[in-house]
Amino acid sequence: LADLALVRANEANFKGAQLVDTDFTGADLGKASFDACEGESTQFVRARLGGARFHGAHLREADFTAAQMEGASFDGALLPEVRLYDVVAHGASFRGVKMKGARVEGAKATKAMFINVEAEGSVWEGARLDEASFHGAMLAGASFARARCERAVFSTADLREARFRRAKLGYASFL
């Protein structure tokens, strides 16, 4: 277990790093690069990740609970069983991310891009996803119960058996 909790590593380069059981709890990692890194059970709990990049990263069961990740980019990452509880991810990009079984309850991700994301069986309950784009996303069996998705885009998304009970979908687009 690598303990990097509370480190200050703005703009650090972790590209291609092996991050198995690495703990970044409370770390300041703004604009850091985690491109193509690999890990399992990596902890980013309450980390500050504004503008960080995770392009092509493979992080199984990573925990980002309560992380601040405005403007972060996870494009093309593999994040199976990722935990994104209560994250603040306004304007973050998750294009093409594979995140089957993701837990995104309570996230605040207005204007976030989830274009072509593969997130079957994911849980977005109580999340604030206003103006987020799920264009072409695979969301079969996902739950958006009590989520706020006003002006969100779900065009060409696979929403088979998705649940939106008590969700706020004002002006959302499904065309």
Side-chain angles (χ1 to χ4, degrees):
L1 175 68
D3 184 0
L4 294 165
L6 301 173
V7 299
R8 291 185 182 168
N10 287 296
E11 299 186 42
N13 185 358
F14 294 94
K15 185 176 182 176
Q18 296 296 312
L19 302 173
V20 176
D21 291 323
T22 303
D23 186 0
F24 289 103
T25 297
D28 189 352
L29 301 163
K31 297 184 181 176
S33 174
F34 291 90
D35 292 349
C37 69
E38 294 187 21
E40 186 166 344
S41 301
T42 308
Q43 303 291 310
F44 292 95
V45 175
R46 293 183 311 280
R48 289 175 297 287
L49 296 162
R53 288 176 38 120
F54 289 82
H55 291 193
H58 185 184
L59 297 170
R60 181 171 180 72
E61 298 179 0
D63 189 350
F64 290 90
T65 298
Q68 303 290 314
M69 53 177 61
E70 295 95 339
S73 181
F74 291 82
D75 295 351
L78 300 174
L79 302 173
E81 308 297 327
V82 67
R83 292 181 297 283
L84 295 162
Y85 299 110
D86 299 315
V87 299
V88 177
H90 302 300
S93 181
F94 293 83
R95 294 171 197 255
V97 170
K98 291 176 176 44
M99 50 192 286
K100 186 175 181 177
R103 303 300 301 250
V104 197
E105 288 101 324
K108 294 171 186 70
T110 58
K111 298 184 180 180
M113 294 292 162
F114 297 97
I115 295 170
N116 296 322
V117 74
E118 294 178 23
E120 298 93 335
S122 52
V123 181
W124 307 75
E125 295 176 2
R128 296 182 125 203
L129 302 163
D130 294 337
E131 298 182 57
S133 179
F134 291 90
H135 175 79
M138 298 179 75
L139 297 164
S143 177
F144 288 86
R146 297 178 321 282
R148 193 168 106 184
C149 304
E150 295 184 353
R151 294 176 302 283
V153 175
F154 292 94
S155 57
T156 71
D158 178 358
L159 296 170
R160 287 174 293 140
E161 299 182 33
R163 298 172 306 284
F164 286 89
R165 185 179 179 120
R166 296 188 179 163
K168 294 182 181 176
L169 299 168
Y171 303 99
S173 173
F174 293 88
L175 299 176

